[in-house]
Structure formats: structure tokens, C-alpha cells
Amino acid sequence: MNTFEFKNPTKIIFGKNTIEKLENEIPKDAKVLLLYGGGSIKKNGIYDQVKKALSEFEVLEFGGIPANPEYAILMKALKLIKSENITYLLAVGGGSVIDGTKFLSSAALFDGDTPWDILSKKIRTEKGMPFGTVLTLPATGSEMNSGAVITNAETKEKLGMGGPGLFPEFSILDPQVIQSIPQRQLANGITDAFSHVLEQYMTYPAGALLQDRFAESIMQTLIEVAPKVIEDPTNYEAASNFMWSCTMALNGLIQKGVPTDWAVHAMGHELTALFGIDHARTLAVIAPSHYHFNFEAKKEKLAQYAERIWNITEGSTEDKAQAAIEKTVAFFHELGIDTKLSDYTKDYEGTAEEISKRFTDRGWTGLGEHQDLSPDKVEKIVKMAY
Ligand code: NZQ
Ligand code: ZN
């Protein structure tokens, strides 16, 4: 096991009808900016619950944060934060709204030239404006981690940011919110969370027995509840297990003391930036070819995953590892998630070269758990995913 430090300061308030507890979490004298997305919260009653809980507070609102939160739109919210002397941010939404809020938390206290530098120059956020979240879509884990991914439509870039200043102070997780989520987004959530576990697990054996079993238990739980959640999002037991699995998949715990990969996400973000493909679907496109391409380096963990998750016990390490990749693809397909780039766009020629060039330009010369995935290898992996 590798050496590690672990601190996660986010308070989780989990369960039925917990949105009303909001009022206990925000300082009474705060001037709050309530941030939300395209309006789903107004149709499903979450907005009304939040407003009721905040009736004693001074609250301004900023809606319209799109999926894959867009820099130019967030800059309008930043202007409001500054002109209105906002002191507290409240994100009510999925990963996009929460990530957008994290950017604003950082940008509100940033004194550099342009807030885009936080992303393009990878400036860590040590301190941000305090914020909390009401999660409406289980998927990203953003509600309990300190990372965010922001899109710049003008430059077709999608870049990450983070730092210890970007943990939410609290996150309210009421599993009942999933009742209004469209099937497509439920499938995305399951796929994203499952992929988060894979990124922190599908590397090489590191003698971290407990972390492996944490990771495996999250994947097993997701596989078990996926059909139930999709069939009936009002199934509270399934919804609660789904929601907590998504949070646990990316709150930092399972990656402690183990090597991590994250190359699938790095390549996937480019597919969202170039084609607007849903985040989770880009991962399902890249992961199979990534595992085929890096088969030798990953085969032992692939075989362990085959045995423990998919009950594949026959054959050599290679046979099991191979079968595990196929099982993973079949799982995505069962969720209605396509796994080839050509399923999403006819315009894919040249994509691999473009992504490879972008990584070279950014100096990303060694991705993956061995930091050996150079841009020429990235090009091959993306091509295999056509
Ligand atoms: O915008 P509204 O109208 O609210 O609708 C949203 C949106 O259209 C809808 N939705 C959310 N909750 C709903 C609902 N519809 C009905 N009922 C509800 N309760 O769902 C759509 C997608 O929402 P979005 O927030 O974009 O989805 P998700 O949570 O999957 O977030 C994706 C973003 O998070 C980033 C992704 O790259 C992407 O930009 N990620 C963030 C991570 C992090 N911060 O740790 C890690 C992830 O790997 C990921 O990169
Ligand atoms: Zn993800």
C-alpha cells in the first residue's frame, strides 16, 4: 500500500426529506446565491423545497447553468457575485451545477488576470467562497470531492480544476430526487460512477486489500441496483444505494494508497469538448479500447475484477481479463449506452490525431498509472474506439 493522507471535510446529510435541513447549515447572516441548471428543479418540486427552507435568508438566484458547465455563462454569475456582495453559494443540481459553483467559489476569491487561468494554468484552489450543495443527480461524486470540470465552448476545451478549498461545506442527498431523472441520465449516472471506480482500481496490484474490496463492493452494488433504478426510480431502497454508491465512488476514499489511472476521463473529456457527447458515454467509448491497448499492464487487475465482480473463474489470467472487458461492454449496453465513437457521430475521422495533438500541446506526455501513456498511444486508443 502506498503512503497517503486523507481528509474529507464535507458533511453529508442523507435521507428522505432532508432538503428542509438546509436552514441549519448556512450562516444566518449570509447573502446566498442559489445556482441551478436548465430548470428541472422547477418542475420536480426541488426548487420549492429549497426556497421554503431558505425563507429566512437573503437569497439571489442564477439559473441556466448548462450540462458541461460553460465558462462564458459562469462569468455572468461571477459578475453577480461581485456586484451583489454574495457571501455564500448554494448549488442545486447535478455535477454540472456543482462544478460550475466550484469554479465560482474559486473565481470569486481569485486575484489573477483572468479566471480561465485557474483551468489553463492548473492553479490549485486553497481557499474558495464557502458553498453547499443539494444533489439532484447521482453520478459524479462532485458533492463530496474537491474537483470540477469546466467547458469553454469558444475554444472547444474541457479542463479540470481543484484543490482543498473546493470541498462543499455540506451536501444534502435525498434519494427521492431521482424520481424525475430521465432514463438516459440515470444510465449516465450509473456508468459514470462505475467508471470512477474502474479508474481507481484497474491498474496493477498494490497490496491494498481493503481499497480493492471497497472498490469492488461499489461496483457490485451498482450492478445490483442498476436495473431496479432504471425500472422504477421511486424504489427508495434502490435509489438510496445508487446515490450513496455514486458519492463513495469519487469522494477520495477508494483511491487512497493505490495507483490511479484517469486516462479514460482525460480522453473522454475531449470527446465531450469536440462532439458534445454526454460525459458518461465518452467513458464507455474509451474504456474498452483503453483496457485492450493496456492489456499487459492491467491484466492482473482485470482478472481479479473478472473473478470477483463477474464470477468468471475458468481459464488463464488472460482469458479472464479478456472476458471481463467483454462483460463490462455488455453491462454498458444493457444500460442503453453505446460504446463506439461512430455510434455518436459520423464525423469521427481525424479525432484521434486531434486529441493526441492537444495532449502534446498541453505537455500531457504521460497519462495513466505508469505515466507512460504518451500522445501517440492516446492516438491509437482513440482510433480503436471509432
Ligand atoms: O439542467 P437541468 O434542467 O437541471 O437538467 C439536468 C441536465 O439536463 C438533468 N437533471 C439533473 N437532476 C435532475 C435532472 N432532471 C430531472 N430530475 C432531476 N432530479 O440532468 C441533466 C444532466 O445534468 P448534469 O449535471 O450535467 O449531469 P451530471 O451530474 O452527470 O454531471 C456531468 C458533469 O460533471 C462532470 C462532467 O464532466 C460533466 O461536465 N464531472 C464532474 C466530476 C467531479 N466534479 O468530480 C467528475 C466526473 O468524472 C465528471 O467529469
Ligand atoms: Zn466521470
Side-chain angles (χ1 to χ4, degrees), residues 36-41 43-44 46 65-69 92-99 102 135-143 145-151 158 177-182 185 188-189 192 196 250 262 265 269 272 279-280 283:
Y36 59 95
S40 69
I41 63 165
K43 292 186 208 127
N44 57 21
I46 296 173
I65 297 175
N68 306 313
V92 182
S96 294
V97 172
I98 300 175
D99 282 11
K102 287 177 176 173
L135 181 67
T136 68
L137 171 51
T140 63
S142 189
E143 66 278 7
N145 68 40
S146 60
V149 195
I150 304 297
T151 295
K158 190 173 184 195
V177 299
I178 81 155
Q179 294 177 14
S180 60
I181 299 176
Q185 297 296 347
N188 283 351
D192 193 24
H196 292 160
L250 195 49
W262 293 111
H265 271 68
H269 288 329
T272 302
H279 168 65
L283 308 175

Side-chain angles (χ1 to χ4, degrees), residues 33 35 62 72-82 104:
L33 183 63
L35 295 130
F62 185 91
I73 293 172
L74 295 170
M75 289 304 280
K76 290 184 191 160
L78 184 61
K79 222 168 150 187
L80 191 65
I81 290 169
K82 293 200 165 156
L104 292 169

